[in-house]
Amino acid sequence: MRTRHQAEHQTKHQTKHQAEYQAEREAAYGWKPGALRRARRRQAVALSATAVLLSGIALAAHTHAAEKDVYVASCRTSVEGSRVTAYCHNPNPGTDRVQLHVECARWWDIDSDSAPVEVGPTAYAELTQRCWKEVREAWISHQPVPDRR
């Protein structure tokens, strides 16, 4: 059985070693007694704020993509030599204005854009453009037409 004097001595001894350990930790790593706890709390707050922000961005992007996809006609392009043909079909209830853009491979060959064509619901459109020589790139742009009610 320990005496009261021995218990006090042991407590002082432990407190002294704890203080020395904390001093070594501060000197070596710059840590303070509550710093790790505060750092973890700040990290948790930052992570939760980031998660909320990213979920909001993802939701907004999903909503924007859903709105955009509603009025976009499905199109494919075909390149034969110097001629480009775009085939567009609109399965959606809204009207889509499509335009074919062609970039020619030669620097002196003029790039061209077709006239915009409105493709209504369940409608089909075919657009053509050409270069004098080779075609470098061809793409289609879409512009939803607002409802005219």
Side-chain angles (χ1 to χ4, degrees):
M1 183 153 204
R2 293 185 332 186
T3 64
R4 184 174 159 218
H5 177 69
Q6 288 173 332
E8 286 176 5
H9 178 70
Q10 187 175 4
T11 304
K12 285 181 187 177
H13 187 68
Q14 284 177 345
T15 306
K16 180 181 171 188
H17 283 296
Q18 285 175 347
E20 288 174 359
Y21 176 70
Q22 285 179 356
E24 286 175 11
R25 231 172 39 172
E26 281 183 41
Y29 305 108
W31 287 354
K32 294 190 178 173
L36 187 59
R37 194 171 31 250
R38 285 189 299 272
R40 284 191 180 145
R41 189 177 309 127
R42 280 192 299 261
Q43 185 181 23
V45 168
L47 284 174
S48 61
T50 303
V52 168
L53 179 66
L54 289 177
S55 65
I57 289 171
L59 181 63
H62 179 70
T63 304
H64 178 68
E67 288 174 1
K68 185 178 176 186
D69 289 345
V70 171
Y71 300 104
V72 174
S74 61
C75 299
R76 66 179 180 86
T77 57
S78 172
V79 179
E80 293 179 18
S82 63
R83 184 171 298 277
V84 179
T85 306
Y87 307 94
C88 295
H89 174 255
N90 187 6
N92 304 304
T95 303
D96 185 18
R97 185 175 292 130
V98 295
Q99 188 174 12
L100 174 63
H101 308 276
V102 177
E103 185 176 321
C104 301
R106 307 293 175 118
W107 65 269
W108 47 264
D109 206 349
I110 299 173
D111 299 340
S112 59
D113 301 323
S114 72
V117 175
E118 289 188 6
V119 184
T122 69
Y124 173 83
E126 192 173 306
L127 301 108
T128 58
Q129 285 298 110
R130 67 180 295 266
C131 294
W132 283 101
K133 291 283 188 177
E134 302 88 13
V135 174
R136 173 177 294 152
E137 189 176 6
W139 68 94
I140 299 163
S141 62
H142 300 268
Q143 182 181 9
V145 176
D147 194 13
R148 296 181 181 147
R149 290 182 205 183

